[in-house]
Amino acid sequence: MIKKIKIDQLTPGMFVHQILEQDGALTVKSQGRVTSADVVKTLKKRGVKTLAIDTDKNFDAGESAQEAVPETTQTAQIKNNAKPKKVTLTNELNRASKLHVQGKAIQKLLLANLQKETPFDASIPKAFSNKLVESVDRNPDALLCLTKIREKDDYLLEHSLNVAILLANFGKFLGMSEEDVQDLSYAGFLHDLGKIKIPDEILHKPGRLTDSEMEIMKGHVKHGVDYLKSTDIAAPLIKTISEHHERLDGLGYPAGTKGNAISKAGRMLAIADMYDALTADRVYKSGMSSQKAFSILMNDAPTRLDQTLVQQFIKCLGVYPVGSLVLLSNDRLGMVLEQRDSPLTPLVKEFFSVRNNHYLPPRDIDLALDKTVSIAKVVIASDYNIDVNSFFERSVAP
């Protein structure tokens, strides 16, 4: 039987059928079994006022207390630590695409909360970051492909999401523990929230910032850190986020932290942040190729960036990062879809004739097997005035 109750009447063992009244921006899924008093406290914290319970689904003595509990609409809590099974790129792309869309929606929610200086439920971005790591466990190439599919007007939403994806891959590559990889990805997802406090005319200025504008821009780190300190985000995570513009020579900001005083996680975040910013398309400019970005990263090491970590980051992404566009020796363009044992012979999807300036029926070429074709160089879409997003949605995404 469905019965309406107030939140103060909710007790462990009851089955929530539907949330009827709730304050705040964060909504809660309608159904789930309440397994502890902590769940009740969480629902109260999220502003739940009245709800409907199903009295026919109360706990029996023999039932497991591991049944589902109410979850956020944005994402579910990770309930076990079992490693996901490896799957093909095609199988993972569907889940990864949905995660990418979900990540932008969560990022938009977090930015709105910071703009209004209202608290957010940290379990939402935390659980989402864990899901990113799970996707990387299943197939690292799926989400990496999606970091190359950008909307110019969504840079602020996509940048932190892409940095979280890059860091999940980087942490895995370095053999870090699952918990450390999850924290690293989480830091990437939250690292640029403070930019919502920067005036648009400075944040999106196409030319070089003046000294006074740069000082305002630098304030985004403090805005984000101060806000996160008001949440229940762990202090080490906030420290990592605070370091993403610090430099080994002490000329970074906001604290001018130098050398070994910058954490390893902070150094990794600085590298991934810079790489994504360099390769991102903006409203006012096209992103550069991965090769050019790698060159800039190396030029900034070892004085500003950690040289060893930069070299490992480049190895992690590969000579031809997944999602990159490449000009093939047959005068056709292809997108790198999967890495192979040899870094010079990935799987690519050929789709455009440079010689005839038209799209082709897409076909996969495994350069490790087909010795008649090779990669001439990495290119960017704007060089050929092509719409990579449309191609991806039409020919790559499920």
Side-chain angles (χ1 to χ4, degrees):
M1 182 179 73
I2 306 302
K3 179 182 178 182
K4 179 181 177 181
I5 65 170
K6 294 182 178 180
I7 187 64
D8 290 336
Q9 297 174 281
L10 186 66
T11 59
M14 291 182 175
F15 187 93
V16 177
H17 177 74
Q18 185 179 359
I19 303 300
L20 301 176
E21 181 186 2
Q22 182 186 1
D23 294 334
L26 299 174
T27 57
V28 176
K29 257 187 181 177
S30 357
Q31 294 191 345
R33 185 158 288 158
V34 178
T35 57
S36 70
D38 287 340
V39 173
V40 178
K41 290 179 183 178
T42 298
L43 293 177
K44 288 181 178 179
K45 184 179 178 181
R46 295 182 188 175
V48 173
K49 301 297 182 185
T50 62
L51 57 162
I53 62 168
D54 189 340
T55 59
D56 294 330
K57 294 184 179 180
N58 287 346
F59 277 136
D60 291 333
E63 274 191 294
S64 169
Q66 300 302 316
E67 296 279 351
V69 298
E71 298 168 337
T72 66
T73 54
Q74 300 287 3
T75 186
Q77 291 288 348
I78 305 303
K79 293 183 178 61
N80 60 70
N81 295 319
K83 284 286 184 94
K85 293 181 179 179
K86 299 291 183 181
V87 301
T88 65
L89 175 67
T90 302
N91 287 341
E92 185 58 25
L93 266 174
N94 184 46
R95 279 186 286 194
S97 296
K98 291 177 180 177
L99 270 179
H100 205 264
V101 171
Q102 186 183 58
K104 288 171 66 173
I106 296 173
Q107 191 70 210
K108 188 173 184 178
L109 174 67
L110 297 178
L111 289 167
N113 284 350
L114 192 150
Q115 180 75 285
K116 295 181 290 187
E117 297 185 358
T118 56
F120 68 87
D121 184 345
S123 68
I124 295 175
K126 173 59 177 172
F128 173 77
S129 300
N130 291 353
K131 282 185 172 291
L132 289 182
V133 175
E134 284 189 340
S135 178
V136 171
D137 280 332
R138 287 189 296 264
N139 188 305
D141 294 334
L143 281 172
L144 284 175
C145 263
L146 292 165
T147 64
K148 299 295 185 180
I149 308 306
R150 302 175 185 267
E151 299 292 339
K152 292 180 180 180
D153 292 332
D154 283 349
Y155 172 75
L156 192 55
L157 300 179
E158 292 176 339
H159 173 61
S160 291
L161 172 58
N162 289 345
V163 169
I165 294 168
L166 290 168
L167 288 172
N169 278 273
F170 194 14
K172 290 285 182 185
F173 179 81
L174 295 182
M176 296 170 67
S177 70
E178 192 77 2
E179 183 179 357
D180 286 344
V181 173
Q182 289 173 350
D183 284 346
L184 192 62
S185 180
Y186 190 21
F189 193 64
L190 299 178
H191 84 282
D192 251 358
L193 290 180
K195 279 189 175 174
I196 197 65
K197 290 287 191 179
I198 305 301
D200 284 349
E201 61 269 21
I202 295 177
L203 189 63
H204 302 300
K205 183 178 179 180
R208 187 179 182 87
L209 297 180
T210 66
D211 289 346
S212 59
E213 288 171 338
M214 178 54 76
E215 287 306 308
I216 294 172
M217 176 66 85
K218 288 179 178 180
H220 80 272
V221 180
K222 187 176 188 303
H223 290 314
V225 167
D226 287 348
Y227 175 72
L228 292 174
K229 285 179 178 177
S230 70
T231 71
D232 56 358
I233 304 291
L237 203 73
I238 296 176
K239 181 179 187 297
T240 297
I241 291 167
S242 75
E243 296 171 329
H244 74 274
H245 281 294
E246 299 292 356
R247 296 294 181 258
L248 297 182
D249 56 11
L251 298 180
Y253 62 88
T257 309
K258 188 175 182 179
N260 292 331
I262 306 172
S263 69
K264 180 179 179 180
R267 298 180 193 202
M268 294 172 70
L269 176 51
I271 293 167
D273 173 57
M274 188 171 175
Y275 173 80
D276 188 75
L278 291 170
T279 55
D281 287 337
R282 313 282 184 96
V283 173
Y284 52 84
K285 76 171 185 68
S286 296
M288 64 181 63
S289 70
S290 54
Q291 263 62 32
K292 189 171 181 180
F294 288 158
S295 177
I296 290 174
L297 291 176
M298 286 302 298
N299 285 338
D300 270 1
T303 56
R304 299 179 69 200
L305 300 175
D306 187 303
Q307 185 171 37
T308 299
L309 286 175
V310 168
Q311 292 170 342
Q312 290 170 323
F313 180 75
I314 294 172
K315 287 180 182 178
C316 169
L317 293 187
V319 178
Y320 305 112
V322 170
S324 298
L325 291 186
V326 291
L327 176 64
L328 301 172
S329 58
N330 58 6
D331 282 335
R332 295 177 174 184
L333 297 182
M335 175 180 279
V336 177
L337 292 186
E338 294 182 40
Q339 301 286 358
R340 292 292 191 255
D341 289 338
S342 169
L344 300 178
T345 55
L347 174 72
V348 301
K349 188 177 284 288
E350 177 188 86
F351 69 95
F352 187 84
S353 171
V354 173
R355 188 179 305 153
N356 299 313
N357 195 35
H358 66 77
Y359 287 91
L360 302 166
R363 75 178 180 113
D364 290 348
I365 305 176
D366 190 336
L367 297 178
L369 302 176
D370 189 341
K371 301 301 182 182
T372 66
V373 184
S374 61
I375 294 175
K377 62 179 180 178
V378 176
V379 297
I380 58 176
S382 60
D383 290 341
Y384 301 91
N385 196 30
I386 58 176
D387 187 346
V388 175
N389 289 17
S390 294
F391 156 70
F392 185 86
E393 291 171 3
R394 183 175 64 251
S395 305
V396 179

